[in-house]
């Protein structure tokens, strides 16, 4: 699908039959916030889930996809990493086999991907008189936080990618790191970088393990698709593949996500619809578009949200820009709050220090690695002002209510 090294034949096969959205992004790059946005189509400024403790209250749940599908008569299911705070919603799904927190890759010698597949088989073997809505939420390829082995791929795949020499990204250099706001230079991103990527041996080992995790997930998805075909369900099942955030693997000397750099916010999105011709869609799409798209495709009750219907029989929607926000903060993990604006050509990032703000401006059409901050150059002050003004307008719209 775009990476010539990693081996994902089952995902590639599914994508060849699907609509591939080449430019999909998240509106907040962290697990709980992004997952709430996927389920509701709402920005975090509206759903207010900014941390790992907050759960979805009843009012918010009534706007979510699993609730709307259940009200439509679907059998609903959830498998894998729940990723939000509060109590696990065990009673809000017809079938629930999820876990709170980060979970563990290995349990009693069995890898998590195999355990997820077992739960998938249990769901599919259940009653099929009604149509179903099922979320399979992989932990893969998330790190195992706090472990000496951060990317715990299945041991059966340890022979893969051994000859591959991972290359560092162009901005994985101290000269780019020292251009960042001071709070980032002293924060969580550099701490994690030193643990995962600073030494070449660390970097190469962890990138190989990262790829092995993804290949293992591909194998699990392939087995799940085979089960669906055996049950003669593929001709009548919409399948969406996406992620709740990206991952920085050394850009700017950082590890993690959080900020509006491309590696953090860019995610895959493919939508398989039986009978629809495969295509590539180059529009900017967002995680908040999934909910309204499924509401339209499955004739669910319409819920007001911030997203666009990506697949519509009669209309074609396109956004010129999107707003990004990130406010996650804990006593232990210091993440510099930020927001931003992205168009097809430019990106504006506003880092919100306690006493001041710092602005970054990139021409991402020609500087895809975001090497050159143009915000301080005289010839870009008009563009900077335009981007700042549109950013502020969209930010204000979110606090005032719904807008296009």
């Amino acid at each position: 699908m775009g990476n010539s090294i990693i081996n994902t034949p089952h995902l590639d096969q599914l994508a060849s039959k699907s609509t591939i959205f080449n430019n999909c992004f998240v509106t907040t790059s962290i697990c709980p916030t992004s997952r709430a946005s996927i389920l509701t189509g709402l920005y975090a400024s509206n759903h207010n889930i900014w941390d790992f403790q907050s759960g979805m209250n009843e009012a918010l749940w009534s706007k979510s996809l699993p609730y709307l599908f259940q009200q439509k008569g679907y059998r609903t299911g959830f498998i894998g990493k729940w990723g939000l705070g509060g109590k696990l919603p065990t009673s809000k799904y017809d079938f629930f086999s999820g876990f709170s927190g980060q979970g563990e890759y290995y349990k009693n010698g069995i890898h998590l991907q195999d355990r997820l597949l077992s739960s998938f088989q249990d769901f599919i073997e259940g009653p099929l008189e009604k149509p179903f809505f099922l979320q399979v939420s992989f932990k893969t390829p998330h790190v195992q936080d706090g472990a000496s082995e951060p990317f715990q791929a299945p041991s059966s795949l340890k022979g893969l990618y051994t000859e591959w020499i991972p290359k560092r990204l162009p901005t994985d250099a101290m000269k780019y790191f020292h251009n960042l706001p001071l709070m980032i230079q002293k924060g969580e991103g550099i701490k994690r970088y030193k643990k995962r990527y600073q030494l070449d041996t660390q970097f190469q080992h962890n990138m190989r393990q990262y790829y092995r995790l993804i290949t293992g997930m591909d194998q699990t998805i392939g087995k799940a698709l085979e089960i669906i075909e055996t049950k003669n369900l593929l001709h009548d099942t919409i399948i969406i593949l996406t992620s709740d955030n990206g991952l920085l693997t050394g850009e700017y000397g950082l590890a993690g996500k959080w900020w509006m750099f491309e590696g953090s916010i860019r995610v895959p999105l493919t939508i398989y619809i039986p009978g629809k011709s495969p295509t590539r869609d180059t529009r900017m799409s967002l995680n908040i578009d999934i909910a309204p798209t499924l509401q339209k495709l499955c004739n669910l009750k319409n819920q007001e949200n911030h997203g666009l219907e990506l697949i519509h029989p009669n209309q074609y929607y396109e956004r010129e820009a999107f707003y990004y926000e990130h406010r996650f903060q804990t006593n232990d993990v210091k993440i510099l709050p930020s927001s931003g604006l992205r168009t097809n050509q430019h990106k504006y990032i506003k880092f919100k220090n306690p006493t001041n703000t710092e602005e970054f401006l990139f021409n991402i059409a020609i500087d895809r690695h975001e090497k050159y901050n143009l915000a301080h150059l005289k010839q870009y002050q008009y563009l900077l002002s335009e981007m700042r003004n549109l950013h502020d307008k969209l930010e204000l719209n979110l606090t005032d209510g719904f807008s296009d």
Side-chain angles (χ1 to χ4, degrees):
M1 285 173 55
N3 186 313
S4 61
I5 303 296
I6 196 164
N7 184 27
T8 54
H10 303 102
L11 290 175
D12 294 347
Q13 177 68 13
L14 180 64
S16 72
K17 304 174 184 178
S18 306
T19 300
I20 301 172
F21 292 87
N22 287 354
N23 294 296
C24 185
F25 306 91
V26 296
T27 52
T28 302
S29 184
I30 196 167
C31 306
T33 309
S34 182
R35 288 172 187 237
S37 292
I38 290 171
L39 291 180
T40 63
L42 298 172
Y43 267 91
S45 288
N46 188 278
H47 65 60
N48 286 316
I49 293 179
W50 293 104
D51 54 44
F52 293 105
Q53 289 73 47
S54 301
M56 298 179 71
N57 60 32
E58 291 302 321
L60 187 59
W61 183 258
S62 69
K63 300 176 182 179
S64 71
L65 284 173
Y67 176 85
L68 296 176
F69 272 106
Q70 202 168 54
Q71 293 299 300
K72 188 70 177 177
Y74 281 65
R75 177 176 174 243
T76 60
F78 183 89
I79 295 169
K81 176 185 170 183
W82 175 238
L84 285 87
K87 294 182 179 180
L88 288 175
T90 53
S91 62
K92 293 183 176 180
Y93 288 86
D94 299 307
F95 177 98
F96 190 88
S97 182
F99 54 85
S100 59
Q102 293 295 334
E104 299 174 315
Y105 274 117
Y106 273 100
K107 198 171 185 178
N108 299 322
I110 302 174
H111 198 275
L112 178 57
Q113 291 173 180
D114 294 326
R115 304 199 304 272
L116 296 186
L117 181 63
S118 178
S119 294
F120 179 83
Q121 291 174 308
D122 290 342
F123 178 86
I124 293 298
E125 293 299 328
L128 293 176
E129 294 82 10
K130 297 193 289 186
F132 66 85
F133 169 74
L134 174 63
Q135 297 167 249
V136 181
S137 180
F138 287 87
K139 175 183 171 71
T140 299
H142 199 288
V143 300
Q144 189 70 52
D145 286 327
S148 58
E149 178 68 80
F151 299 103
Q152 298 181 9
S155 57
S156 60
L157 301 180
K158 64 182 179 181
L160 292 180
Y161 310 117
T162 55
E163 302 300 317
W164 172 54
I165 308 298
K167 294 182 180 180
R168 292 184 182 272
L169 292 163
T171 53
D172 187 352
M174 282 298 101
K175 68 176 181 178
Y176 298 106
F177 175 76
H178 290 306
N179 289 333
L180 296 172
L182 188 59
M183 187 171 170
I184 295 181
Q185 293 185 41
K186 295 181 177 180
E188 191 67 21
I190 182 62
K191 293 178 183 177
R192 298 189 182 192
Y193 175 87
K194 289 179 178 179
K195 293 178 181 178
R196 299 174 194 167
Y197 307 125
Q198 186 170 35
L199 301 176
D200 286 342
T201 51
Q202 286 176 315
F203 175 75
Q204 293 174 10
H205 172 76
N206 286 328
M207 290 303 297
R208 289 174 183 135
Q209 285 288 86
Y210 183 58
Y211 275 30
R212 289 167 187 146
L213 270 171
I214 296 172
T215 295
M217 181 177 68
D218 176 81
Q219 293 176 351
T220 301
I221 291 173
K223 293 172 183 175
L225 291 173
E226 185 177 345
I227 292 170
I228 291 175
E229 287 190 276
T230 301
K231 292 288 186 179
N232 196 30
L233 296 171
L234 195 58
H235 73 286
D236 197 28
T237 301
I238 295 170
I239 302 173
I240 296 180
L241 171 74
T242 191
S243 179
D244 53 2
N245 53 251
L247 182 69
L248 298 175
T249 56
E251 299 95 315
Y252 288 91
L254 301 173
K257 50 246 183 193
W258 314 306
W259 301 293
M260 202 189 176
F261 302 121
E262 289 289 286
S264 169
I265 66 172
R266 184 179 283 273
V267 294
L269 177 62
T270 65
I271 303 180
Y272 168 77
I273 301 175
K276 186 180 185 304
S277 299
T279 187
R280 284 187 178 266
D281 194 316
T282 60
R283 293 176 293 169
M284 282 193 296
S285 54
L286 301 175
N287 56 344
I288 56 172
D289 297 334
I290 292 173
T293 298
L294 282 176
Q295 287 176 28
K296 172 62 69 173
L297 289 173
C298 300
N299 197 29
L300 306 179
K301 181 181 179 182
N302 184 52
Q303 287 290 326
E304 202 170 29
N305 56 60
H306 298 120
L308 300 178
E309 297 164 9
L310 294 176
I311 298 176
H312 194 288
N314 302 316
Q315 294 174 290
Y316 182 83
Y317 300 99
E318 187 163 5
R319 55 172 55 86
E320 296 181 0
F322 77 87
Y323 172 79
Y324 179 84
E325 56 182 353
H326 203 295
R327 301 182 200 167
F328 177 84
Q329 195 71 254
T330 71
N331 292 329
D332 299 325
V333 179
K334 300 300 182 185
I335 307 298
L336 179 61
S338 62
S339 58
L341 179 81
R342 191 191 191 280
T343 69
N344 282 318
Q345 184 165 355
H346 296 104
K347 181 188 290 183
Y348 167 79
I349 307 176
K350 185 177 187 178
F351 292 106
K352 302 175 179 180
N353 295 297
T355 57
N356 70 316
T357 61
E358 295 183 60
E359 295 177 311
F360 279 56
L361 179 67
F362 299 107
N363 184 339
I364 51 178
I366 60 175
D367 178 24
R368 67 187 185 94
H369 292 293
E370 301 169 304
K371 292 182 178 181
Y372 307 108
N373 180 14
L374 309 175
H376 304 298
L377 300 179
K378 183 177 179 180
Q379 62 267 41
Y380 289 99
Q381 292 310 297
Y382 178 78
L383 174 62
L384 177 65
S385 177
E386 290 288 295
M387 295 288 284
R388 183 193 299 127
N389 290 340
L390 182 53
H391 163 276
D392 292 349
K393 177 184 176 182
L394 294 179
E395 188 172 60
L396 183 62
N397 284 344
L398 283 177
T399 61
D400 286 347
F402 290 92
S403 68
D404 296 327

